[in-house]
């Protein structure tokens, strides 16, 4: 993957995560059972603690944080437009369907 593609993926992921547009947002049963779902989703949108350790490819495609007593993970997956296979090019939104999954760490 080129640096240009990585930068583009990061830009698309950040925009999708901040706005919850350009992606499908999925929450797991564990997140749905929380009393503070809105706080969790806001924390996902505001997440900016990316480091070389938790973001080794520079795509901003995964995050982990605590919200109250919940240890939360979020991650992007990249599918083709039919959601049947992996995307042929995650840097190209015309061939990529992004899915942002928000889950409890124990659901990973």
């Amino acid at each position: 993957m080129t640096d240009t593609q990585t930068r583009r993926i990061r830009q698309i992921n950040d925009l999708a995560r901040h706005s919850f547009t350009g992606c499908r947002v999925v929450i797991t049963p564990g997140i749905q059972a929380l009393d503070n779902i809105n706080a969790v989703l806001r924390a996902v949108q505001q997440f900016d603690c990316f480091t070389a350790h938790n973001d080794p490819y520079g795509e901003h495609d995964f995050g982990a944080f605590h919200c109250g007593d919940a240890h939360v993970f979020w991650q992007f997956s990249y599918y083709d437009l039919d959601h049947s296979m992996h995307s042929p090019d995650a840097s190209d939104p015309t061939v990529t369907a992004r899915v942002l999954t928000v889950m409890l760490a124990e659901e990973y």
Side-chain angles (χ1 to χ4, degrees), residues 27-34 71 73 102-108:
I27 62 172
T28 60
I31 296 295
Q32 188 158 357
L34 296 174
H71 188 192
F73 287 171
V102 183
M103 69 196 89
L104 295 177
E106 60 258 26
E107 294 176 299
Y108 186 72

Side-chain angles (χ1 to χ4, degrees), residues 2-108:
T2 68
D3 288 344
T4 300
Q5 286 173 304
T6 299
R7 274 193 307 278
R8 184 70 181 134
I9 291 169
R10 182 173 52 246
Q11 290 170 343
I12 295 167
N13 285 349
D14 285 345
L15 177 63
R17 183 173 42 78
H18 291 302
S19 64
F20 289 163
T21 60
C23 67
R24 181 178 293 178
V25 179
V26 175
I27 62 172
T28 60
I31 296 295
Q32 188 158 357
L34 296 174
D35 291 333
N36 60 344
I37 296 172
N38 289 333
V40 168
L41 295 178
R42 272 193 308 278
V44 171
Q45 290 177 308
Q46 296 170 356
F47 186 88
D48 67 352
C49 300
F50 297 103
T51 67
H53 176 71
N54 68 13
D55 188 31
Y57 300 107
E59 295 180 1
H60 292 189
D61 60 349
F62 176 86
F65 60 90
H66 286 88
C67 189
D69 292 333
H71 188 192
V72 178
F73 287 171
W74 61 265
Q75 75 172 22
F76 276 106
S77 300
Y78 314 118
Y79 296 98
D80 65 4
L81 297 180
D82 293 329
H83 292 90
S84 60
M85 299 187 320
H86 194 267
S87 169
D89 181 359
S91 70
D92 183 352
T94 66
V95 299
T96 303
R98 276 179 166 63
V99 176
L100 173 58
T101 304
V102 183
M103 69 196 89
L104 295 177
E106 60 258 26
E107 294 176 299
Y108 186 72

